[in-house]
Amino acid sequence: MSTMLAAPPLSVSGAKRGELERLARSSSAAHRTVVQAKALLLAADGVANYEIARRVGTSANSVRAWRKRFGIDKDSVARIWRDHELKPWKHDTFTISADPDFEVKLVDVVGLYMNPPEHAAVFSFDEKTQVQALDRTQPSLPMKRGRANTMTHDDKRNGTTDLFAAMNLATGEVIYDTKASHTAANVLSFFKLIDLHVPRHLEVHVVLDDLSAHKAPTVRTRLADPKRARWHLHFTPTSSSWCNLVERFFAEITERRIRRGTFNSVKQLREAIELWNERWNDNPKPFVWRKPAEEIIAKVRRGRAALAQVKSATAH
């Protein structure tokens, strides 16, 4: 006749036992917490898992899980994280483009960045939409020794504007405008502005995303006109804003001017954007693309393979 071996008594320090006893007597703690505390005290006394389950009204598997978790202290967890170079308190975001023409578009755009055509002006274009004119609910405190400039965490919203920008990739200069929205008509109006800034003997190449307003019939019709034969649009892959260099310019103006500012009207916001852009163009800084398309494509392929494995492992 065989006998079932009980698990060894759970090792519980005096301080932990006191905490468990308090929880087991509690009338305000959650029911599950009270049951767990009672089960762990019985486990510390050497009671078998099945008997513990019977006494507290749960399953033996739950008792085993509670025992296992309680045996892993924070120092053990920290050691495991350190040994495996894991940092669960940090996280990165990612999106792998599902564009079926991802590689073709990426090669086209990166090739334009790294080997621009002669006798041409190359621009990176996009809109920064819904830029908010935010004012603070209280005046900011000035910077002084030992204290940074401070502002209230809450704000008042005074309307929005859309910032249109096209960065000349050779010079870093930015053609810009602010508009109430980003309709096809507004896109077409901005393209006309670009056209006015480029000498007639140069071709015009524009990197942009595939927003519907960028590909609207009115835009296509105008650019198809033989008079606009010098115009060439290069669309970035879907969900790949990171490969549009003007996004780095938007990050600069957002961090250094818009986010730090207070604006009591859309007019004041637009004036601030205009002044900042004028100062930028006084001493423009072109952004340089350095990573070849082949390296990016290889990385994306690895990402897709890893994502497929995760999906396969979690499929039910």
Side-chain angles (χ1 to χ4, degrees):
M1 180 176 179
S2 62
T3 58
M4 186 174 294
L5 296 177
L10 185 66
S11 177
V12 179
S13 67
K16 284 290 186 181
R17 176 176 280 275
E19 183 180 346
L20 289 172
E21 289 174 345
R22 179 184 61 79
L23 288 173
R25 295 191 303 268
S26 175
S27 59
S28 59
H31 174 72
R32 181 178 176 82
T33 301
V34 173
V35 171
Q36 286 181 359
K38 290 179 178 179
L40 291 172
L41 286 170
L42 290 170
D45 292 338
V47 179
N49 292 336
Y50 281 97
E51 178 60 18
I52 295 172
R54 187 189 67 79
R55 293 188 191 183
V56 302
T58 190
S59 69
N61 285 337
S62 292
V63 174
R64 292 190 188 96
W66 296 339
R67 287 181 62 123
K68 185 176 181 181
R69 285 200 298 268
F70 186 83
I72 303 176
D73 59 27
K74 62 180 179 64
D75 293 331
S76 299
V77 172
R79 185 175 63 254
I80 292 169
W81 288 348
R82 184 173 60 251
D83 291 345
H84 291 81
E85 297 184 2
L86 299 175
K87 299 177 180 179
W89 57 89
K90 293 185 177 181
H91 74 278
D92 292 322
T93 58
F94 77 99
T95 299
I96 296 178
S97 175
D99 193 328
D101 298 320
F102 172 82
E103 295 185 7
V104 173
K105 291 179 178 178
L106 185 74
V107 169
D108 177 44
V109 169
V110 173
L112 196 62
Y113 289 159
M114 302 188 75
N115 188 27
E118 295 182 358
H119 311 298
V122 180
F123 294 92
S124 175
F125 159 73
D126 203 359
E127 307 97 339
K128 183 174 177 61
T129 61
Q130 297 290 298
V131 183
Q132 296 193 56
L134 298 178
D135 198 359
R136 304 296 164 178
T137 56
Q138 299 175 13
S140 298
L141 298 177
M143 181 171 57
K144 69 176 186 178
R145 183 180 179 87
R147 185 183 70 195
N149 184 42
T150 62
M151 59 180 62
T152 59
H153 69 273
D154 52 345
D155 47 54
K156 294 183 291 185
R157 301 182 180 187
N158 297 310
T160 64
T161 191
D162 287 1
L163 170 59
F164 284 59
M167 171 173 280
N168 186 315
L169 300 185
T171 66
E173 291 180 284
V174 174
I175 301 170
Y176 66 92
D177 198 3
T178 53
K179 298 180 181 294
S181 61
H182 54 290
T183 63
N186 286 331
V187 171
L188 196 55
S189 173
F190 191 75
F191 281 2
K192 292 177 181 177
L193 183 62
I194 295 175
D195 212 31
L196 291 173
H197 279 77
V198 181
R200 303 309 304 173
H201 68 283
L202 295 180
E203 298 282 298
V204 179
H205 292 262
V206 181
V207 174
L208 70 169
D209 63 32
D210 59 358
L211 184 73
S212 59
H214 298 166
K215 304 168 76 172
T218 52
V219 176
R220 289 180 178 274
T221 299
R222 178 174 175 80
L223 296 186
D225 189 310
K227 295 179 181 179
R228 258 72 63 181
R230 69 177 185 150
W231 272 75
H232 311 275
L233 302 186
H234 304 260
F235 293 100
T236 60
T238 305
S239 303
S240 302
S241 60
W242 47 266
C243 69
N244 195 339
L245 277 174
V246 78
E247 299 298 332
R248 294 180 61 182
F249 170 77
F250 285 147
E252 287 275 329
I253 191 172
T254 299
E255 180 61 30
R256 297 172 60 182
R257 184 62 185 100
I258 297 172
R259 189 171 293 160
R260 295 171 180 266
T262 57
F263 313 102
N264 58 32
S265 66
V266 171
K267 180 177 181 292
Q268 190 179 60
L269 171 62
R270 287 175 173 168
E271 289 173 348
I273 289 173
E274 180 178 357
L275 179 59
W276 197 90
N277 276 279
E278 290 301 319
R279 289 177 176 172
W280 172 276
N281 285 335
D282 286 342
N283 184 28
K285 300 177 180 64
F287 297 112
V288 180
W289 188 277
R290 301 188 183 281
K291 184 162 291 190
E294 293 75 14
E295 287 187 25
I296 301 170
I297 290 170
K299 185 175 181 180
V300 169
R301 287 175 178 173
R302 291 194 299 270
R304 285 175 174 164
L307 194 60
Q309 288 181 343
V310 170
K311 289 180 177 178
S312 176
T314 56
H316 296 291

